[in-house]
Amino acid sequence: MAVRTGGRIRTIVLALLSLATAAPLIWMIGVSLMPKGAASAFPPPLWPGHPTLANYRELLFPHIDASGGATSYRIVPAIVNSTLLATLATVIGLGLTLPAGYAFAKLRFTGRARLLQAMLALAVIPTQVTLLPLFLMLKAAGLINTYAGVLVPGLAGIYGVLFVRQAALAIPDEMLDAARLDGASEWHILTRIVAPLLRPVVVTLALFTFLASWSDFLWPLIAITDQRLYTLPVALAAISREHGQDVELMMAGAVVTTLPVLILFVALQRSYFSGVLGGGIKG
Amino acid sequence: MITRRRALTLASSAALSACAPRDSNRVTWWAMGTTGENAPILLPPFTRTTGIDVDLQAVPWTGAHEKLLTGFAGGSLPDVMMLNTGWLPELNLLGALTAPPPALLTGHLPGANAAVTIAGRAYAVPWTADSWVQFYRRDLIAEVDYPAPPLDWAEWTRMAQAIVRRHPDRFATLHLLDWPEPLFAYAAQTGEPFLRDRAGRGNFRSPGFRAALAFYKQVFDLKLSPRVTGAEAGDTYIGLRRGWFAILPSDAVFLGDARRPEHRIVPGSWGAAATPGPRGAGAAMARGTCLAVSRTARDPAAAWRLVAFLTGADLQRQIFGITGDLPTRSRAWTMLPPDPVTRLFATQIADSVAPPAVPEWERITSEVQQVAEAMVRGRLGVDAAAAEMDARVDRILAKRRWLLDRGRIT
Amino acid sequence: MTRRRSSEARAGLAFTIPVLFATLAFLVVPTVAGLLLSLTDFDIYALADLANLRLVGSGNYLALAHDPRFWHAVWNTLIFTGIGVPAAIGASLVTALLLDSATVGWKPVWRLLLFAPYVTTLVATALVWRYVLDTRSGLLNAALGVVGIAPVDWLGDPKTSIPATLIFIVWKAFGYNMLVFTAALATVSTDLREAARLDGAGPVARFRHVTLPAIGPALVLASVLSVANFLQVFAEPYVMTHGGPAQSTMTILYFMFDEGFTWWNLGTASAVAVILFVAILGITAVQARLARRLEWL
């Protein structure tokens, strides 16, 4: 009996904590559906009385501004850029880290231990430290203001390699050796046996990489000067500098920027959690 | 199996090398602030007559300077740039600009050309002229029995205190703590140079600047202005309309903004007066913008055609109608409505102090304002703040002094 | 057999070389270049003409040591880290312990809601929080008003700007460590807990002797990573307060960004980057040593 009331109290505490955590996100959606100026009242309304999509229309489509000209916030191209860049970052990132992580775990080759130690040692370098020289290097290569320039810093995927290696260690050697006896090439083993086994880890890593690229702000802010190449966070920050007072419009922008990744995360949450929680290998 | 990987690499490298399309007959242009936001209206006639497409990027003033420098550092400046005239020395030092055709430099106000000239050569075409004045709510000033805000510090303070006494929950004016303009406007009134020793050291401990600093501090000490930054103040026009403060120091952008329906500032409800000085109004800080063409422009001729179009007298008159930006061409001034506000701006522009022509000026104003903010928040006295300003500015100018000593720059 | 070995070795190299190359080119080379840059006075004059570049040796480091702005940024970063790490780890631990109790219902729902902020986009949620923390019409002051607390000028007062920014940072980040701790707690066997309970150990003793040893390693790793992350706080104040009010949220990394990418003093900025790098390295080493002494690693 005591256990049950304890459980109930804990459930209520957790429910309140979860609600408090989610409140800003729920409010963000609510305000984005309010008519102009509604959110600035005191006390702030929690939910729109008459929901409207006007802010989204203004944000996403060309509209007539105060001086009579048609303007657009260029959010749609930014969505395309962000999606493209995050997808590229994910595909290239996994293409680099998955084979490497597996090789460090399971393939015997000269220098493996030493290379792995070097990777571990390099993991402590904060990427921010490299940004200044990287800018000069990319300028020399003519890659500033290109997609390639945005992608480059993310390619040194040490964490990805270590993450995949940790999971791949659990793969039984007999399985791989059996496949080798059957005459399978190493590439075949990687794509047909290892990758399916590591599915939760691959999904987790893919989601991680996608999210990191989608949300990255600091580097694209510097590496891109042409607004046609702006990513969503950079475009949103630029709009907020000019229209920061327009709370409802900014919240619509925040929803457009955040909702895609939230939906992606909810859809893949099972694999993701099991990947993070070291589920490692599919049973 | 390698072939598939190679295919993937090829595909990805193809995708990677895709960058912004670069077609001919297109001029890229960065324009700042309200002017940049409204510039699309100006362009259709230009494209119709020349066949040149303009790819316009509106850049907020707050991030404009860093964007220009990053653009230069990354080799990605646009063909045409709208610049704060004070940034010319910097971009010229970087060798980022080309000299305009002399024909574009005729017919401007005296002083407008001087502002774009460095060591005898012009590096941009003047586009808008500007100054810094105090806009005020007629009714709130009349309430305390003044016809207009007084022009000397002592009397102005008396008026401002009367306003605050009358409405203890309100303020007399709004000096945003992240804006250097109000402080520098007061300092310009004293006629003291901002830098000394061939512009190699700060001159902020001079009696003139310290007097301006003391006056600026007093505005906050007497609670004549709220202690807020731009981000917190929200929409300043709404604040003015609601009477949160009676006086808004600003430049000519106010003229365009006040006309906009969303700000709902009743015409005739406001007036403009010069910035107060220690003994009546003196010189104002020169402000204004110009159009420059970058050295990396793909088609300089097309870029200058756009500049020629934008800086024409008729177009300058049109821009004034949209944004309130004042013209630099004498002929455009003759087309303006002869009201007291434009007359005030005309007198101020004719009698202005140019900021020191050093590349570090933008950074100097920003650091000086940071110290001023710390002073206003009670962390430093006037003398300590002035000393700290000089110390910081001397540090910023260290490299310049080294180059001056070696005759690398003059 | 040897042939198979050699094909395995070849594959091992083929699979690792791309990542090793990327790491070398985009991490090692820039780090070394940054170290070299920090010994020069690379600035806007050098951008204009490389002849204006000087080798200044330790000059940048000495100048920073005498620069009150830098020390101010260091101090702010230490405040961020000193309050932020315990707050973030504490929030993660409390929620993980709650999620771990066997008697709680609807666990997947709470886990999802608590974790959601972690995957949101920083710039977007920073904007949201700017309005949540708004003095006049913000959600937080409205909520405090219900309890009878007067409105706080969260982002406008230099005294509250760091705590306000921290509320946002902790809100966004605690979900990840919560998951890690949940995984670690799941390894504590129920038998062990039951045994401890039957032995009459109170909740505090049970936590100390059963739970803590189980999550010790996870706790150490989380605190090492958290310290490193908090020492690198930048994007949150950049988006929320622009380092203000009165430079109160200016952090070391923000200072580096400002010197480097706003004013193009790459020499000074690189020196800041090197100092930050060494500091993170040193603090991590100390933490690892402490953990080893506690036999948690």
Side-chain angles (χ1 to χ4, degrees):
Chain A
M1 199 69 221
V3 167
R4 208 175 308 157
T5 48
R8 200 163 294 159
I9 289 169
R10 286 207 185 109
T11 308
I12 290 168
V13 170
L14 257 180
L16 287 174
L17 282 175
S18 307
L19 271 180
T21 307
L25 297 174
I26 297 166
W27 192 61
M28 161 181 90
I29 296 171
V31 172
S32 74
L33 298 168
M34 289 180 193
K36 284 259 180 288
S40 305
F42 191 83
L46 300 181
W47 198 252
H50 307 281
T52 165
L53 288 173
N55 299 308
Y56 291 94
R57 264 198 301 278
E58 181 185 344
L59 185 76
L60 297 173
F61 303 110
H63 55 279
I64 305 298
D65 69 357
S67 56
T71 60
S72 149
Y73 294 123
R74 298 177 189 246
I75 282 286
V76 176
I79 296 174
V80 174
N81 289 334
S82 273
T83 311
L84 200 62
L85 272 168
T87 310
L88 274 174
T90 308
V91 171
I92 298 170
L94 280 177
L96 286 173
T97 53
L98 186 66
Y102 159 69
F104 276 125
K106 286 288 161 192
L107 296 179
R108 283 147 297 204
F109 57 96
T110 27
R112 184 178 82 168
R114 220 165 306 146
L115 284 172
L116 187 63
Q117 266 173 343
M119 289 290 257
L120 272 167
L122 291 174
V124 296
I125 300 180
T127 34
Q128 277 81 353
V129 168
T130 62
L131 294 188
L132 304 151
L134 208 51
F135 185 94
L136 296 180
M137 285 163 60
L138 290 177
K139 183 205 174 177
L143 290 179
I144 292 296
N145 212 16
T146 65
Y147 279 167
V150 181
L151 289 172
V152 153
L155 294 183
I158 293 183
Y159 281 100
V161 173
L162 298 177
F163 187 63
V164 172
R165 175 180 171 267
Q166 200 56 41
L169 283 174
I171 298 173
D173 282 327
E174 299 77 32
M175 206 188 243
L176 305 174
D177 287 330
R180 286 190 188 112
L181 280 176
D182 289 347
S185 71
E186 294 295 337
W187 179 250
H188 183 96
I189 293 172
L190 172 71
T191 52
R192 296 295 149 85
I193 299 170
V194 175
L197 275 175
L198 296 179
R199 220 197 79 157
V201 171
V202 171
V203 170
T204 307
L205 189 58
L207 196 58
F208 248 114
T209 318
F210 193 93
L211 286 177
S213 168
W214 180 274
S215 300
D216 193 14
F217 173 61
L218 169 59
W219 179 247
L221 181 74
I222 303 156
I224 300 177
T225 47
D226 183 343
Q227 63 186 3
R228 280 177 299 175
L229 296 177
Y230 274 2
T231 59
L232 256 179
V234 177
L236 188 65
I239 298 172
S240 83
R241 279 192 154 178
E242 288 291 316
H243 304 274
Q245 317 312 332
D246 192 340
V247 185
E248 297 81 13
L249 177 76
M250 291 324 308
M251 289 305 100
V255 170
V256 166
T257 308
T258 275
L259 218 52
V261 285
L262 270 177
I263 290 170
L264 195 66
F265 158 69
V266 171
L268 296 172
Q269 58 158 320
R270 198 155 283 164
S271 300
Y272 182 80
F273 283 143
S274 71
V276 171
L277 304 180
I281 297 221
K282 263 180 78 171
Chain B
M1 282 294 107
I2 294 291
T3 50
R4 185 160 21 148
R5 272 176 85 186
R6 190 174 298 164
L8 192 79
T9 337
L10 282 175
S12 63
S13 63
L16 287 178
S17 56
C19 64
R22 300 215 138 191
D23 30 332
S24 57
N25 252 6
R26 175 194 282 281
V27 170
T28 52
W29 177 32
W30 288 357
M32 287 42 176
T34 327
T35 323
E37 282 195 51
N38 288 286
I41 311 167
L42 311 170
L43 294 170
F46 174 75
T47 305
R48 257 202 315 280
T49 49
T50 60
I52 298 169
D53 270 322
V54 181
D55 179 13
L56 165 74
Q57 187 156 327
V59 181
W61 275 120
T62 35
H65 182 265
E66 38 190 302
K67 195 171 169 81
L68 285 165
L69 280 191
T70 309
F72 172 81
S76 52
L77 281 176
D79 303 336
V80 179
M81 303 168 260
M82 170 182 173
L83 300 174
N84 176 338
T85 307
W87 299 340
L88 265 187
E90 196 168 11
L91 285 149
N92 175 52
L93 167 99
L94 292 169
L97 310 175
T98 52
L104 296 184
L105 296 164
T106 55
H108 294 277
L109 297 177
N113 277 355
V116 295
T117 305
I118 299 163
R121 283 190 67 181
Y123 284 94
V125 180
W127 194 31
T128 67
D130 209 339
S131 190
W132 188 259
V133 302
Q134 36 179 353
F135 293 98
Y136 60 91
R137 285 262 308 257
R138 289 182 188 282
D139 52 348
L140 298 177
I141 303 294
E143 264 185 359
V144 290
D145 301 327
Y146 279 86
L151 298 183
D152 70 280
W153 289 347
E155 195 57 38
W156 186 94
T157 307
R158 271 193 286 281
M159 172 217 64
Q161 283 180 287
I163 293 175
V164 176
R165 261 200 308 277
R166 211 183 155 85
H167 303 285
D169 55 334
R170 296 186 187 176
F171 297 95
T173 185
L174 177 70
H175 291 359
L176 294 175
L177 286 172
D178 48 350
W179 278 18
E181 285 88 348
L183 171 60
F184 279 87
Y186 294 139
Q189 300 286 333
T190 66
E192 196 100 54
F194 292 107
L195 303 176
R196 58 192 175 85
D197 285 4
R198 291 188 295 166
R201 287 190 183 277
N203 192 30
F204 296 97
R205 276 171 299 184
S206 65
F209 193 87
R210 276 207 314 243
L213 206 53
F215 175 68
Y216 180 78
K217 182 170 186 287
Q218 192 189 33
V219 167
F220 293 93
D221 290 350
L222 298 174
K223 298 202 167 48
L224 307 179
S225 165
R227 290 189 175 95
V228 290
T229 57
E232 301 162 72
D235 191 322
T236 50
Y237 298 105
I238 292 177
L240 187 68
R241 199 177 66 231
R242 293 184 180 160
W244 185 38
F245 48 86
I247 297 173
L248 178 64
S250 177
D251 54 15
V253 158
F254 180 93
L255 305 177
D257 283 348
R259 282 196 295 258
R260 272 179 235 298
E262 71 262 31
H263 295 136
R264 295 201 295 274
I265 304 223
V266 183
S269 70
W270 55 271
T275 303
R279 291 167 299 281
M285 277 289 268
R287 297 167 63 80
T289 68
C290 53
L291 290 170
V293 170
S294 73
R295 186 156 291 209
T296 51
R298 288 184 306 280
D299 184 352
W304 286 121
R305 278 178 85 177
L306 175 62
V307 174
F309 167 80
L310 290 168
T311 55
D314 295 320
L315 212 92
Q316 286 194 344
R317 169 67 188 86
Q318 190 191 343
I319 292 168
F320 169 77
I322 299 167
T323 63
D325 282 308
L326 293 158
T328 59
R329 286 188 183 276
S330 322
R331 197 167 68 80
W333 274 92
T334 60
M335 304 186 238
L336 296 189
D339 62 25
V341 177
T342 43
R343 265 206 304 280
L344 169 69
F345 270 99
T347 2
Q348 293 244 67
I349 289 166
D351 178 25
S352 24
V353 186
V358 295
E360 294 89 352
W361 185 244
E362 180 71 17
R363 177 155 203 192
I364 288 172
T365 53
S366 131
E367 294 258 347
V368 164
Q369 184 56 33
Q370 277 176 25
V371 179
E373 183 183 358
M375 173 191 77
V376 162
R377 291 185 189 270
R379 272 195 252 130
L380 296 163
V382 171
D383 290 351
E388 173 67 13
M389 286 171 185
D390 270 348
R392 286 196 190 191
V393 171
D394 288 358
R395 196 179 304 143
I396 294 169
L397 291 169
K399 182 79 174 253
R400 178 181 161 81
R401 287 197 298 278
W402 181 78
L403 291 164
L404 279 170
D405 290 344
R406 271 153 197 73
R408 292 258 181 109
I409 49 174
T410 46
Chain C
M1 197 69 211
T2 46
R3 213 192 47 193
R4 200 173 307 141
R5 266 295 153 77
S6 72
S7 82
E8 196 179 320
R10 263 207 310 278
L13 281 176
F15 288 174
T16 49
I17 277 176
V19 159
L20 294 170
F21 175 78
T23 307
L24 184 71
F26 307 132
L27 191 68
V28 180
V29 171
T31 305
V32 175
L35 197 60
L36 295 176
L37 255 184
S38 75
L39 307 175
T40 72
D41 71 345
F42 196 104
D43 59 1
I44 186 165
Y45 290 103
L47 269 181
D49 180 359
L50 272 180
N52 294 329
L53 186 74
R54 285 182 293 174
L55 259 179
V56 293
S58 59
N60 288 323
Y61 295 93
L62 290 173
L64 281 172
H66 293 117
D67 189 341
R69 292 175 317 133
F70 175 68
W71 289 112
H72 185 60
V74 169
W75 177 240
N76 286 342
T77 309
L78 290 177
I79 297 177
F80 265 113
T81 312
I83 308 175
V85 173
I89 300 268
S92 310
L93 195 56
V94 166
T95 46
L97 286 170
L98 280 169
L99 276 175
D100 185 56
S101 23
T103 47
V104 163
W106 296 63
K107 262 186 222 177
V109 177
W110 312 138
R111 186 173 69 175
L112 189 67
L113 286 175
L114 290 167
F115 188 76
Y118 182 77
V119 297
T120 55
T121 304
L122 187 133
V123 173
T125 39
L127 277 174
V128 175
W129 273 87
R130 228 164 67 186
Y131 300 118
V132 169
L133 295 165
D134 188 88
T135 319
R136 286 187 292 270
S137 55
L139 211 53
L140 188 59
N141 276 348
L144 291 175
V146 172
V147 201
I149 299 173
V152 179
D153 186 5
W154 289 106
L155 294 175
D157 183 342
K159 285 196 268 310
T160 53
S161 55
I162 287 185
T165 314
L166 274 172
I167 294 175
F168 166 59
I169 298 175
V170 170
W171 171 85
K172 194 168 176 334
F174 84 95
Y176 186 77
N177 282 333
M178 175 188 82
L179 278 193
V180 174
F181 294 158
T182 315
L185 284 169
T187 61
V188 185
S189 70
T190 25
D191 296 355
L192 195 59
R193 275 189 235 196
E194 275 307 300
R197 235 162 52 95
L198 292 173
D199 283 350
V204 176
R206 281 210 303 273
F207 180 79
R208 244 206 75 151
H209 296 291
V210 180
T211 314
L212 208 51
I215 58 168
L219 207 54
V220 170
L221 193 63
S223 66
V224 168
L225 291 175
S226 295
V227 168
N229 283 336
F230 271 98
L231 288 175
Q232 295 177 67
V233 165
F234 160 70
E236 293 89 349
Y238 183 86
V239 179
M240 278 176 93
T241 55
H242 290 287
Q247 307 299 301
S248 60
T249 49
M250 170 70 61
T251 60
I252 298 179
L253 199 59
Y254 200 140
F255 186 85
M256 178 202 97
F257 185 91
D258 207 44
E259 284 286 331
F261 291 120
T262 304
W263 308 114
W264 291 91
N265 290 327
L266 294 189
T268 314
S270 297
V272 175
V274 170
I275 292 171
L276 183 64
F277 178 30
V278 171
I280 290 174
L281 214 58
I283 292 175
T284 309
V286 169
Q287 282 174 301
R289 183 158 300 186
L290 274 176
R292 229 170 270 137
R293 188 161 309 165
L294 290 167
E295 293 181 348
W296 273 357
L297 277 181

